[in-house]
């Protein structure tokens, strides 16, 4: 989500106006804000998500004025309809409202700068910008990068200590997708650390609460990252090549994308790697905690594809997926009015018993597996093939090299962010025999 709830005008007048007449809120005492930001919930959100899902598919929260979607069918409908989009300028009480612009111009500037790019665009601008990159990110085109991905993976594996305890996030899950993303855009290795800092600072834009310091850091990172991308693209204008740099430069030269859209899209496509680190960490931890499933995968690597889908379903890295209503939209039994913001809660949607048998069971043979970890509709994650390939390479390489992969301490979940579920630390011990 690209906004912070602390910018919602929560005066009584606004809230009264926001309560739609056809939504029963009486008796609905779910403390959404408290729940979604509670460190206990963030360590293990599934019992609470089950509770709210059982109470209804679509909820209105009179405190924040937000709608929450907890079931698969309703989320699918919301993700697909053209009545709801990802352009949050349609959110009447969001960052672009006159009240919020006047009250907090710094935040307004931050989001205004970030706005022009595919993830924040509605039709038809969304199709125009996404179609620039769609083909390049399909599995067929992505396979040309396999040798590079395997090489980046091998370098990190070579540095893992035999039998010594190591933080898997620090030593492997954080750097691997990051390095792959930078190489895709021909960014040299000496920039790895600087770009990682920019991406980390910018990632707070997705959280539902941002501190003033995080806003300032995000603003600086945004300025520096975009300037770097501008210079990087310019340096390649004489020799753009036929990769992602060439595609970006051609779209800017023909006017398919404005300069702002080009810079933001390139920065976003590089930043997307951050989510893959959650799949690597959450996925490996889930395998370790389900040893029979881990053994099954070791014995039959043909199950890798369905195993990764199950990791995405069972422990999704993106926790919330927003849509802003352009027109009124009937979502299940609830009418979401134009100007409202609705949030899909992926952890609840992915364990909806109406969609999945035994939803709380981790089953790497589950097939079909229509999870929503990559969102849905026109905005479904453009990097999903890249994420799947990265993870397949990584898990295969880890199992090829190490006969034993065990916990070496307590894993620590992020408890300071509600938009993503990932691991701060995953202490592991790797053994060859
Ligand atoms: C496991 C890894 C990943 C997960 C769980 C994930 C998740 C998501 C989700 C939930 C969305 C929003 C979809 C919606 O609104 O319906 C999204 C969109 C997007 N993701 Fe990913 N993502 C991952 C990896 C990546 C990677 C590696 C990239 C880099 C190319 C990337 C780039 C994007 C972009 C550019 C969008 C916006 C697409 C659009 O608006 O058309 N993601 N992703």
């Amino acid at each position: 989500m690209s906004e912070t709830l602390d910018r919602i005008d929560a005066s009584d007048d606004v809230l009264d106006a926001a309560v739609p007449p056809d939504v029963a809120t009486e008796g609905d005492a779910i403390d959404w804000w408290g729940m979604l930001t509670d460190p206990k919930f963030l360590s293990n959100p599934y019992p609470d998500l089950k509770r709210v899902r059982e109470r209804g598919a679509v909820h209105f929260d009179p405190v924040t004025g937000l709608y929450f979607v907890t079931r698969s069918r309703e989320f699918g409908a919301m993700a697909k309809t053209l009545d709801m989009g990802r352009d949050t300028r349609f959110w009447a009480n969001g960052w672009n409202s006159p009240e919020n612009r006047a009250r907090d111009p710094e935040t307004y500037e931050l989001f205004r700068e970030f706005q022009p790019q595919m993830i924040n665009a509605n039709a038809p601008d969304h199709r125009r910008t996404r179609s620039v990159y769609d083909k390049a990110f399909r599995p067929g085109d992505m396979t040309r990068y396999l040798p590079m991905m395997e090489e980046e993976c091998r370098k990190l594996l070579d540095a893992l200590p035999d039998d010594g305890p190591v933080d898997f996030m620090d030593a492997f899950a954080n750097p691997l997708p990051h390095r792959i993303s930078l190489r895709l855009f021909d960014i040299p290795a000496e920039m790895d650390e600087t770009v990682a800092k920019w991406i980390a600072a910018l990632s707070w834009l997705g959280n539902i609460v941002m501190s003033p310091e995080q806003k300032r850091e995000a603003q600086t990172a945004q300025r520096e990252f975009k300037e770097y991308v501008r210079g990087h693209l310019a340096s390649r204008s004489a020799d753009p090549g036929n990769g992602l740099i060439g595609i970006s430069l051609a779209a800017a030269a023909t006017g398919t994308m404005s300069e702002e859209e080009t810079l933001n899209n390139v920065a976003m496509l590089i930043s997307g790697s951050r989510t893959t680190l959650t799949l690597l960490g959450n996925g490996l931890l889930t395998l370790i905690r389900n040893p029979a499933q881990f053994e099954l995968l070791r014995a039959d690597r043909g199950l890798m594809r369905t195993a990764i889908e199950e990791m995405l379903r069972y422990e999704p890295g993106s926790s919330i997926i927003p849509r802003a209503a352009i027109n009124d939209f009937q979502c299940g039994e609830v009418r979401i009015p134009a100007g409202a913001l609705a949030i899909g809660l992926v952890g609840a949607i992915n364990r909806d018993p109406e969609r999945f048998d035994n939803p709380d069971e981790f089953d790497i043979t589950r097939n079909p597996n229509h999870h929503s970890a990559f969102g849905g509709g026109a905005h479904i994650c453009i990097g999903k093939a890249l994420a799947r390939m990265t993870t397949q390479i990584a898990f295969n390489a880890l199992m090829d090299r190490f006969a034993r992969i065990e916990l070496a301490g307590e894993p620590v979940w992020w408890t300071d962010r509600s938009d993503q579920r990932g691991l701060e630390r995953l202490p592991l011990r790797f053994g060859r025999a």
Side-chain angles (χ1 to χ4, degrees):
M1 188 167 70
S2 326
E3 298 71 33
T4 54
L5 287 183
D6 58 349
R7 267 168 291 124
I8 292 173
D9 184 343
S11 67
D12 288 348
D13 286 356
V14 169
L15 291 177
D16 285 350
V19 179
D22 56 347
V23 177
T25 55
E26 217 177 318
D28 185 355
I30 298 169
D31 172 10
W32 291 94
W33 172 275
M35 183 183 90
L36 291 171
T37 56
D38 182 352
K40 230 173 86 201
F41 169 85
L42 294 167
S43 291
N44 176 16
Y46 299 106
D48 280 331
L49 290 175
K50 181 168 190 269
R51 182 173 59 87
V52 295
R53 187 183 55 234
E54 282 172 354
R55 282 183 62 172
V58 184
H59 301 248
F60 175 68
D61 175 23
V63 177
T64 57
L66 298 174
Y67 287 76
F68 291 97
V69 179
T70 64
R71 294 189 196 161
S72 178
R73 186 202 311 258
E74 286 74 10
F75 175 72
M78 164 173 116
K80 285 190 192 105
T81 178
L82 287 177
D83 287 328
M84 303 194 73
R86 285 208 57 133
D87 185 341
T88 48
R89 288 173 300 183
F90 283 89
W91 177 18
N93 291 335
W95 62 274
N96 195 42
S97 75
E99 298 79 28
N100 286 331
R101 285 164 73 160
R103 192 175 49 212
D104 186 357
E106 196 187 25
T107 303
Y108 167 72
E109 270 311 308
L110 188 59
F111 285 96
R112 195 190 58 77
E113 271 275 314
F114 184 68
Q115 173 63 36
Q117 55 172 309
M118 72 175 97
I119 199 164
N120 298 321
N122 286 352
D125 291 333
H126 175 253
R127 183 96 302 268
R128 172 175 57 76
T129 46
R130 175 150 173 156
S131 62
V132 170
Y133 295 103
D134 240 346
K135 183 170 175 302
F137 278 96
R138 289 209 189 115
D141 278 30
M142 272 284 132
T143 51
R144 65 199 274 205
Y145 301 109
L146 274 174
M148 174 274 282
M149 294 182 196
E150 282 163 354
E151 173 64 8
E152 292 297 341
C153 181
R154 191 193 52 75
K155 281 193 269 185
L156 288 166
L157 279 187
D158 287 350
L160 286 181
D162 267 0
D163 263 329
V166 62
D167 177 13
F168 179 70
M169 302 314 292
D170 199 36
F172 192 86
N174 283 311
L176 179 65
H178 178 66
R179 291 183 189 178
I180 289 174
S181 279
L182 265 61
R183 301 301 91 80
L184 286 178
F185 282 89
D186 302 337
I187 296 175
E190 68 253 27
M191 286 302 294
D192 283 358
E193 244 175 75
T194 309
V195 179
K197 282 192 188 129
W198 289 332
I199 294 175
L202 280 171
S203 78
W204 291 104
L205 280 171
N207 201 22
I208 64 172
V209 187
M210 261 177 107
S211 70
E213 197 190 345
Q214 285 167 340
K215 286 180 198 170
R216 273 194 301 280
E217 284 175 8
Q219 207 151 28
T220 308
Q222 190 173 55
R223 199 176 49 244
E224 291 178 358
F225 196 5
K226 277 168 84 167
E227 268 320 299
Y228 175 76
V229 172
R230 193 195 307 274
H232 183 57
L233 290 176
S235 75
R236 292 290 306 276
S237 57
D239 175 26
N242 63 359
L244 292 163
I245 292 285
I247 289 170
S248 308
L249 283 168
T254 55
T256 306
M257 292 195 296
S258 68
E259 196 199 11
E260 278 300 288
E261 284 171 338
T262 309
L263 299 180
N264 277 335
N265 274 327
V266 170
M268 174 66 194
L269 288 164
I270 295 169
S271 312
S273 62
R274 203 184 150 78
T275 335
T276 309
L277 74 89
T278 62
L279 175 54
L280 289 167
N282 303 3
L284 189 55
L285 176 60
T286 308
L287 283 173
I288 293 170
R289 286 192 164 156
N290 292 271
Q293 296 289 304
F294 205 169
E295 275 318 304
L296 188 60
L297 183 58
R298 272 194 188 276
D300 181 359
R301 300 293 185 82
L303 291 171
M304 188 59 85
R305 195 185 57 78
T306 50
I308 288 172
E309 295 314 299
E310 181 66 345
M311 294 171 203
L312 283 158
R313 184 194 71 85
Y314 192 80
E315 277 291 6
S318 292
S319 306
I320 57 183
I321 301 181
R323 290 291 186 273
I326 304 158
N327 302 306
D328 289 4
F329 176 63
Q330 187 68 34
C331 192
E333 290 176 1
V334 173
R335 194 163 186 78
I336 300 178
L341 190 82
I343 292 171
L345 294 174
V346 186
I349 294 161
N350 275 3
R351 296 193 185 198
D352 179 355
E354 280 177 28
R355 172 74 72 192
F356 304 99
D357 293 336
N358 304 318
D360 293 319
E361 200 175 291
F362 178 68
D363 172 6
I364 64 165
T365 66
R366 192 183 290 274
N367 194 15
N369 189 343
H370 298 296
H371 63 76
S372 299
F374 288 123
H379 286 277
I380 193 160
C381 178
I382 198 172
K384 60 190 193 305
L386 171 59
R388 284 170 173 145
M389 279 164 68
T390 303
T391 326
Q392 277 199 22
I393 289 170
F395 286 141
N396 272 323
L398 279 162
M399 283 187 234
D400 285 345
R401 189 167 298 204
F402 299 109
R404 278 184 297 109
I405 303 176
E406 300 158 350
L407 280 179
E410 256 321 287
V412 180
W413 292 97
W414 292 331
T415 51
D416 53 355
R417 58 186 317 150
S418 310
D419 62 331
Q420 288 177 21
R421 175 159 169 79
L423 288 156
E424 181 72 35
R425 275 197 306 282
L426 178 54
L428 295 183
R429 202 181 298 281
F430 295 94
R432 289 183 193 257

